[in-house]
Amino acid sequence: MPGGRLTQQERQRIAAGLAGGLSYAEIARRLDRPTSTISREVARNGGPGGYRPQQAHRATIQRARRDTPTPSRTAGAPSGAVEEEIIELAVRSGMPRMTARVHVDLLLSEDGRRTAAELTRRLKVSPASVSVAVNSLVQHGYVRRERDPQRRRDIYVVDDEAWYHSIVISSRQTLESAQAAMAAAEALGLDRPVGQRLAKAGTFLERVVLDMMESADRWRPFLT
């Protein structure tokens, strides 16, 4: 999602790319991000030799919590302690605050459906902010887009299947990181400490993700 905050999975892929000797430009191309985004991310989080994805992700969340004021209810944030808590949990997990607000508003709607105009009006934000948020949610499987042929407008829908799709998409992204780490391990040499370290990390991630995807498929009937 170019222009949005880097996700934890993207930071893992950045680390794998650095370990594999890839240039910032090549890492950016693989993530569909500007090269400047990658260079700034690495520079502010230890440099090429000290970049740690989990530490970088935590540091970004802490900076965001310091720099971004909690939206007031009069500014259009969902009302109620439960809604605010869900938003904060999503933000701490790496979701941009506006994306979290849109997601929670959809989750708590009676039928799980809103148009972009409805979201803009309810949250009192710009159409551009809503557009960025819903595009991110659609990309990550939390929301699907439907077309209203009569009014020629998009409707954004969150339903039970969204949880399954979001897990599958996230798992595939992590699996790509695992495969990148194992490819880098082979390129660097499995007889070297760095190659062995990357191979172990890649194998671990691959096994965990495959188990998660199998579990999602097994329990999917509960959502239908």
Side-chain angles (χ1 to χ4, degrees):
M1 50 181 180
R5 185 180 299 171
L6 288 167
T7 65
Q8 190 166 8
Q9 290 80 9
E10 286 178 314
R11 289 189 166 94
Q12 291 170 350
R13 293 175 66 182
I14 290 173
L18 292 172
L22 299 181
S23 66
Y24 290 161
E26 177 60 19
I27 295 172
R29 186 189 67 79
R30 296 187 180 190
L31 294 179
D32 192 23
R33 291 279 192 171
T35 302
S36 59
T37 297
I38 306 304
S39 62
R40 286 197 301 268
E41 166 71 13
V42 175
R44 71 163 65 102
N45 292 292
Y51 184 78
R52 300 291 184 270
Q54 292 181 338
Q55 294 177 5
H57 197 67
R58 286 196 297 268
T60 300
I61 293 173
Q62 291 171 355
R63 285 195 296 268
R65 293 180 67 183
R66 288 196 302 268
D67 299 339
T68 305
T70 301
S72 64
R73 291 172 184 169
T74 57
S79 62
V82 173
E83 292 89 339
E84 294 291 349
E85 182 177 359
I86 296 173
I87 290 172
E88 290 301 323
L89 287 171
V91 170
R92 288 200 292 272
S93 71
M95 182 178 286
R97 185 173 294 278
M98 178 53 61
T99 305
R101 291 179 63 197
V102 170
H103 191 210
V104 170
D105 193 71
L106 278 165
L107 282 173
L108 298 181
S109 63
E110 191 66 26
D111 58 358
R113 304 167 67 89
R114 298 250 195 254
T115 65
E118 288 172 335
L119 290 166
T120 299
R121 183 175 64 254
R122 288 178 55 79
L123 300 177
K124 296 181 174 62
V125 295
S126 69
S129 296
V130 169
S131 177
V132 171
V134 294
N135 285 338
S136 172
L137 291 169
V138 169
Q139 179 182 350
H140 289 83
Y142 295 110
V143 171
R144 74 171 187 273
R145 182 186 284 109
E146 293 183 355
R147 188 68 174 172
D148 183 347
Q150 295 181 341
R151 299 188 180 182
R152 297 183 180 180
R153 62 181 183 178
D154 288 333
I155 301 174
Y156 300 99
V157 182
V158 58
D159 56 21
D160 293 333
E161 281 285 290
W163 301 110
Y164 171 80
H165 293 302
S166 64
I167 288 176
V168 169
I169 291 173
S170 176
S171 296
R172 287 173 179 168
Q173 292 172 343
T174 305
L175 187 59
E176 289 179 2
S177 299
Q179 293 169 344
M182 290 188 287
E186 292 184 3
L188 294 171
L190 296 175
D191 57 337
R192 297 176 55 192
V194 62
Q196 295 171 5
R197 185 166 61 250
L198 286 173
K200 290 178 181 178
T203 301
F204 170 79
L205 287 175
E206 182 183 55
R207 300 291 175 82
V208 170
V209 168
L210 291 177
D211 281 350
M212 184 180 298
M213 295 176 72
E214 181 182 348
S215 180
D217 287 332
R218 184 169 65 252
W219 299 114
R220 187 180 185 182
F222 279 91
L223 298 175
T224 59

